[in-house]
Amino acid sequence: MANIVSGKNHNEVLLQLAKGLLGMDAGFLFSTGRGAMTALLAAVKLQNSDNDRNEVIVPAYTCYSVASSVINAGLKIRLCDIDPRTLSYDEQQLRQIDFSRVAAIISANLYGLPNDLPMLEKLSKSEGFLLIDDAAQSLNAKIDGRYLGSFGDAGILSLDKGKNVTSIQGGLAVTNHPGLAELLSQNVERLDPLSFKRQAIEFIKVVIYYFFLNPYAYKLPANISFSGLGETRFETDVEVSKYPAFLSSLATAQFNRIDQITQSRTQRGFYYDEALQSNQSITKIDRLVQTEPAYLRYPLLVHDANQRSELLDEYREYGISASYPKSLNCVDEIAGHLVGERACPAAEVIARQIVTLPTHAYVRETDMNQIIEILAGL
Ligand SMILES: *Cc1c(COP(=O)(O)O)cnc(C)c1O
């Protein structure tokens, strides 16, 4: 707490931890993950200023702020549908894309479940565009022992509420690509700090979250908005500003015990996974082979939108929630920035039927058993 109050700058320590974990040469802190993504994409745009590549492939079901970031960086969005069984890209549709104007592709890795990143890495290399590995929800998840956020050319981490490591807000861009690193470092040097007023507001938020919202005072702590995974409302403008230094010691403390934090979540994820094996009324999301998920939430599909709204109406206090309410092809504000195929039926199904279960440390075995029982009654 003393460090938070004194505002002592631990940014460098935090960056070293993140770069060390992911094995990256360069890392940059921003006030949000979407700020980091926007700055990174602005660098991608500059890298491609001498050619026609101004499109970014985005999965049709992911956090809205990924789309906001592409738009704010002045690039076009080329949507690709997802495989409803895994939430990874629909590989068949992906391979049919005309890549001639594609500058980058972005992974999603939602709920701590790794996408097929080795496939994306190979494809991006052979077609001459960059892979941005969005590990905002999957810090410490792995494929074949390799950390998410380290695939391709650059990675994104978020330190927002409800993420694997949180300081209420914050984001990182990490990269091994010398050109991107140089451009990002120039960008960061020019950044304004958050206004004094905003820093004061953030500080008060931290105090409230950590000292007054005692999770045990609630039936289940998921009541508090820690389970939010980014906005469920589309925000057009992305502010790119500096990470408030007083937040870094919060994030550093969690980075230092990231394996413990991850283990606590994955234990709960596997518990649900095992128990839901015999439930015929829900559809599980498959883990890809060789992956070690971080299970930030445990995702599954229910039968239809009606069943879901009844479930959420009745049992929201258990921390059961939906996720992004629309696939990106159905978000009006994005329409003017799209190129190519707009039909993404699988992503629309996911938006209607997805339910996510809480995996944070305050969820007890009895809570999970109750949730499992509720789902058995569907
Ligand atoms: C949260 C999130 C982001 C953006 O991070 P913020 O810190 O909330 O701006 C980007 N991508 C995904 C998949 C996310 O979940």
Side-chain angles (χ1 to χ4, degrees), residues 32-34 62-63 65-66 108 110 134 136-137 158 160 163 170 229 324:
T32 61
R34 54 200 181 276
T62 191
C63 179
S65 49
V66 173
L110 297 184
D134 184 346
Q137 295 189 21
S158 168
D160 208 69
K163 309 290 171 125
L229 288 180
Y324 313 112

Side-chain angles (χ1 to χ4, degrees), residues 106-165:
I106 303 178
S107 59
N109 307 308
L110 297 184
Y111 321 114
L113 286 174
N115 290 164
D116 190 351
L117 300 172
M119 180 272 286
L120 295 182
E121 200 171 54
K122 260 188 231 139
L123 182 71
S124 63
K125 278 215 180 89
S126 70
E127 297 293 338
F129 53 82
L130 302 170
L131 167 60
I132 296 174
D133 190 13
D134 184 346
Q137 295 189 21
S138 52
L139 175 61
N140 218 34
K142 293 171 209 157
I143 301 180
D144 262 335
R146 196 171 149 197
Y147 285 97
L148 266 65
S150 75
F151 283 80
D153 303 279
I156 290 291
L157 300 180
S158 168
L159 306 174
D160 208 69
K161 297 174 290 295
K163 309 290 171 125
N164 314 55
V165 162

Side-chain angles (χ1 to χ4, degrees), residues 10 25 44 49 116 163 191 204 212 231 241 252 256 262 295 306-307 350 365:
H10 285 182
D25 297 332
V44 169
S49 51
D116 190 351
K163 309 290 171 125
L191 284 186
I204 290 163
F212 296 108
E231 299 300 324
S241 51
T252 301
N256 279 324
T262 308
Y295 277 128
N306 283 337
Q307 187 182 51
I350 298 300
E365 197 168 320

